[in-house]
Amino acid sequence: MELQKRTWAEISLDNIEHNYRTIKAHLPAGCRFLGVVKADAYGHGAVRVSRRLEEAGADYLAVSCLDEALELRNAGIKMPVLILGHTPARFVPVLIDRDITQTVTCLAKAEEYSQEAVKYGKELKTHMKLDTGMSRLGFLCSGSLFDEGVEHVITSCRLPGLIAEGVYTHFAVADEPGEENEKYTLEQFDLFCRMIAAVEERGGITFPLRHCANTGAVLNYPQTALDMVRPGLLLYGYGDGGRLGLKPCMKIVTTVSTIKIHEKDTDVSYGRLFRTKRTTRMGVLPIGYADGLLRSLSNRCSFATEDGPAPQLGRICMDMCMVDLTDLPGVNIDSRIEIFGPNNSLEKLSEAAGTIPYELMCSVSKRVPRVYGDERD
Ligand SMILES: *Cc1c(COP(=O)(O)O)cnc(C)c1O
């Protein structure tokens, strides 16, 4: 059936590949590339993005949970996949059978995974996660906990049924400017390196894959590349302020469904947040917060038309919102409106919503069909 083209997302896999190759060209020789494709590849479609990365020669993928990993395996993706979050130990046989790598975040979980793997009679591939300052997941190792952290990592690596293929940590402020943030990031990196060295020295354990560089670190701290980098946002063309020449990969497009002429002093939408100041040619767009257009953007953003920006008017509703077309007489029913993309910056929109590009990108909902213009197969 023909797509109705109410509101859709145009995804460029060619741009994803361009970004992958561009980032790769900036890495030290031999450094591997893990593409973070959690949250449906930040809304771009995890299977399509992963397939393209696989063809292009990327080394690893990362997702947040088992269901996301299985989606890739069920679609025939063969490359290594790391689960960044927690998986309950009873799923160890599934992880092993589908060749999925699991993050290990503390000794107790290592023991659970080990027991299940031994019971199953096979080995589970793991990456040890160290908490160097994010205070989320990982073996504690800051300050007085250093020696205990080293002990626990060594013990975990030696447990039967576990293969310790990698070790990693995650930065809290690598993408934020300022001396304080730089100091914090370098301290995290130093602690990560000291932990790895101590585990090697005291336990004779070496990790083939040491990785820590997210988007911010790939851009601002090239010395953190180690064996593999782990960017997400950067792969999708954001976060570098244009420095590397990356290309955005997602454009949200809608069309004008209805146009009304309202008199001056007409209240618009829920809550009567906006009242017309003149005779207003108002367009109704079939996109609302159920599509991912955050309600917090109400009355404080504009979208791109062929003739220039159209200010958004009044509250954004669940399925619709209104725009001012008074000064854009060339914009008519069925005219295309870009919500974000090359002509309407996602960064600017996120700022107006009081959030970050990540959130707006991940908010584009299931109702918005993804259209892959340059898909080769
Ligand atoms: C999400 C995530 C990344 C990618 O972060 P970006 O800022 O998008 O590059 C890397 N590592 C971990 C552990 C993550 O959770």
Side-chain angles (χ1 to χ4, degrees):
M1 207 183 72
E2 189 207 355
L3 192 65
Q4 189 212 328
K5 293 255 170 100
R6 170 190 173 268
T7 290
W8 66 97
E10 289 175 13
I11 313 282
S12 171
L13 295 172
D14 285 348
N15 286 3
I16 300 251
E17 185 172 338
H18 165 87
N19 294 344
Y20 159 69
R21 293 191 190 285
T22 306
I23 299 164
K24 182 96 184 159
H26 274 81
L27 300 177
C31 180
R32 285 174 231 219
F33 186 101
L34 176 152
V36 178
V37 296
K38 64 190 180 193
D40 202 25
Y42 293 40
H44 295 66
V47 169
R48 303 298 263 275
V49 169
S50 300
R51 211 174 270 151
R52 182 56 79 94
L53 287 175
E54 188 166 56
E55 286 169 14
D59 301 283
Y60 230 110
L61 298 168
V63 295
S64 69
C65 59
L66 179 59
D67 285 348
E68 289 184 343
L70 290 176
E71 187 193 4
L72 299 182
R73 284 289 179 255
N74 291 342
I77 304 291
K78 301 261 185 313
M79 54 194 291
V81 175
L82 169 67
I83 295 181
L84 298 167
H86 172 62
T87 306
R90 65 179 182 280
F91 292 108
V92 163
V94 182
L95 292 169
I96 293 173
D97 284 344
R98 307 305 296 270
D99 192 22
I100 297 164
T101 310
Q102 176 59 44
T103 294
V104 174
T105 58
C106 64
L107 180 54
K109 291 202 170 155
E111 283 167 345
E112 282 182 22
Y113 289 144
S114 164
Q115 276 161 21
E116 289 297 321
V118 168
K119 209 160 63 180
Y120 195 56
K122 294 187 184 168
E123 289 186 309
L124 174 68
K125 228 189 273 170
T126 65
H127 286 208
M128 301 293 154
K129 171 113 187 244
L130 311 185
D131 182 356
T132 58
M134 177 75 180
S135 309
R136 189 172 66 176
L137 293 181
F139 289 85
L140 298 178
C141 55
S142 315
S144 62
L145 297 171
F146 183 85
D147 288 326
E148 188 181 283
V150 173
E151 278 293 294
H152 284 193
V153 172
I154 292 173
T155 308
S156 299
C157 292
R158 286 181 177 157
L159 288 172
L162 302 188
I163 304 169
E165 178 196 57
V167 63
Y168 75 101
T169 193
H170 194 46
F171 293 122
V173 288
D175 57 342
E176 295 187 42
E179 234 172 81
E180 200 37 48
N181 293 325
E182 186 181 335
K183 184 163 165 276
Y184 197 82
T185 304
L186 293 176
E187 275 169 13
Q188 277 198 271
F189 185 57
D190 178 61
L191 178 54
F192 184 53
C193 294
R194 284 191 290 116
M195 278 291 290
I196 293 171
V199 167
E200 183 164 359
E201 204 173 291
R202 299 179 205 174
I205 292 154
T206 52
F207 298 98
L209 291 177
R210 302 160 299 161
H211 52 106
C212 58
N214 58 359
T215 288
V218 170
L219 288 169
N220 304 321
Y221 305 92
Q223 71 274 35
T224 65
L226 301 179
D227 301 308
M228 183 159 79
V229 296
R230 211 176 60 229
L233 193 72
L234 201 62
L235 181 60
Y236 307 104
Y238 291 98
D240 82 323
R243 270 186 285 165
L244 297 183
L246 304 177
K247 299 178 183 170
C249 303
M250 184 194 285
K251 175 163 134 184
I252 304 297
V253 186
T254 190
T255 51
V256 180
S257 71
T258 303
I259 294 179
K260 296 278 190 70
I261 310 292
H262 289 295
E263 291 179 350
K264 181 172 179 287
D265 293 328
T266 302
D267 292 325
V268 176
S269 194
Y270 289 120
R272 303 166 62 198
L273 199 63
F274 180 81
R275 176 171 292 175
T276 56
K277 294 172 190 67
R278 56 178 176 172
T279 302
T280 298
R281 184 169 175 266
M282 193 182 79
V284 182
L285 308 182
I287 180 169
Y289 58 78
D291 299 288
L293 186 62
L294 302 184
R295 190 170 170 275
S296 52
L297 282 167
S298 293
N299 220 20
R300 53 192 313 166
C301 64
S302 62
F303 308 130
T305 75
E306 290 217 333
D307 298 338
Q312 192 274 320
L313 304 179
R315 279 267 155 75
I316 293 170
C317 311
M318 185 184 287
D319 312 305
M320 288 175 251
C321 69
M322 277 60 93
V323 287
D324 188 350
L325 301 178
T326 314
D327 301 323
L328 304 163
V331 177
N332 273 302
I333 304 282
D334 284 342
S335 288
R336 290 188 174 199
I337 307 282
E338 183 180 310
I339 303 298
F340 68 73
N343 303 302
N344 207 39
S345 126
L346 174 64
E347 280 95 345
K348 228 174 69 186
L349 214 57
S350 339
E351 215 178 290
T355 184
I356 49 174
Y358 295 80
E359 193 185 4
L360 266 184
M361 216 181 233
C362 295
S363 299
V364 177
S365 75
K366 204 170 80 189
R367 185 163 74 183
V368 179
R370 272 61 170 175
V371 180
Y372 297 86
D374 47 23
E375 181 66 295
R376 288 182 303 212
D377 48 35

